[in-house]
Amino acid sequence: TIPEIALNIALQEDKYQAWLEGLHTMLACFYDVTGQLSPVEHDLLVRKLDELEASLLPGFNIYNWNSLGIPEFIHSCNKAINTFQQVVKQVQKNSSIIKGVVFAIADARIVSEPADGAEVPDLQEFHEALEKQRHEVVEGLVKKYRTIGPLLGKIEEVVAGTNTGKSPQMQKYYAYWERAIFNALN
């Protein structure tokens, strides 16, 4: 005769395989979303990461193969991972826009060379043309620069739940972008 425990395990093999597949898929999603974070994003989202990891914590202590709540645990973890992933997407979307502004500032050409074979203007015309070009370029960059504040506000709202521009949770993130802008200007 087959022992009762072995028989029970054999009868529930499909259920265990489904749980195992669900756990593997859930963990793959977790590692995928956390693995795509840059160091500055990781620092920014450390509290959200702690919340996400707390949702996984019951799997380390409470559940075993005899537990009935494994499907619910997988579902709640997937829900927490999806919520975190949405935060990451919003942060990265706004960060990429900010990065584009920083690159535009860094790549700006305030003075351009005259076209080959162009007539040499007199000093007054040359000065006026340079000043006009400089003014247009700087005004365009200032306009782009002013979009950074609202974007940082959106990120703060998603991450810290505030939109003050002064969140202590965002301090390193603000410093990161300040340094990036400063470097773009130099």
Side-chain angles (χ1 to χ4, degrees):
T1 66
I2 300 174
E4 187 177 334
I5 291 177
L7 185 60
N8 283 337
I9 290 173
L11 291 174
Q12 296 182 24
E13 181 180 3
D14 292 341
K15 179 172 71 171
Y16 291 148
Q17 286 298 328
W19 289 352
L20 189 61
E21 182 63 32
L23 289 168
H24 279 290
T25 303
M26 180 263 296
L27 287 173
C29 290
F30 171 81
Y31 289 122
D32 183 49
V33 73
T34 57
Q36 67 180 333
L37 297 175
S38 69
V40 71
E41 290 168 341
H42 186 276
D43 288 346
L44 173 68
L45 298 170
V46 72
R47 289 187 186 160
K48 297 283 185 190
L49 274 167
D50 289 344
E51 292 171 13
L52 178 59
E53 289 172 359
S55 70
L56 297 175
L57 204 53
F60 291 100
N61 302 320
I62 298 172
Y63 295 106
N64 61 39
W65 292 115
N66 295 321
S67 299
L68 298 176
I70 293 175
E72 291 81 11
F73 168 71
I74 294 169
H75 177 73
S76 71
C77 288
N78 282 331
K79 186 176 176 183
I81 292 167
N82 288 337
T83 300
F84 181 77
Q85 188 171 34
Q86 292 307 311
V87 169
V88 170
K89 283 181 181 180
Q90 289 177 327
V91 167
Q92 289 178 340
K93 175 186 163 208
N94 289 313
S95 292
S96 72
I97 296 169
I98 295 170
K99 189 182 294 184
V101 171
V102 171
F103 285 149
I105 291 170
D107 291 341
R109 296 194 54 140
I110 294 184
V111 177
S112 62
E113 296 180 23
D116 288 338
E119 186 177 313
V120 177
D122 67 23
L123 185 57
Q124 182 67 27
E125 286 176 21
F126 181 70
H127 174 69
E128 288 172 5
L130 277 179
E131 193 59 30
K132 180 182 175 193
Q133 179 183 359
R134 183 196 64 79
H135 181 71
E136 289 172 358
V137 170
V138 169
E139 284 299 313
L141 293 175
V142 166
K143 189 175 181 180
K144 287 181 181 183
Y145 172 78
R146 288 189 176 136
T147 65
I148 293 175
L151 291 168
L152 288 172
K154 287 179 184 179
I155 292 171
E156 180 181 338
E157 206 168 309
V158 169
V159 172
T162 61
N163 190 352
T164 61
K166 301 174 184 175
S167 172
Q169 190 176 348
M170 298 276 296
Q171 185 176 8
K172 288 181 182 178
Y173 197 68
Y174 289 140
Y176 170 81
W177 286 113
E178 286 173 5
R179 174 59 58 191
I181 293 165
F182 178 79
N183 289 340
L185 291 170
N186 290 325

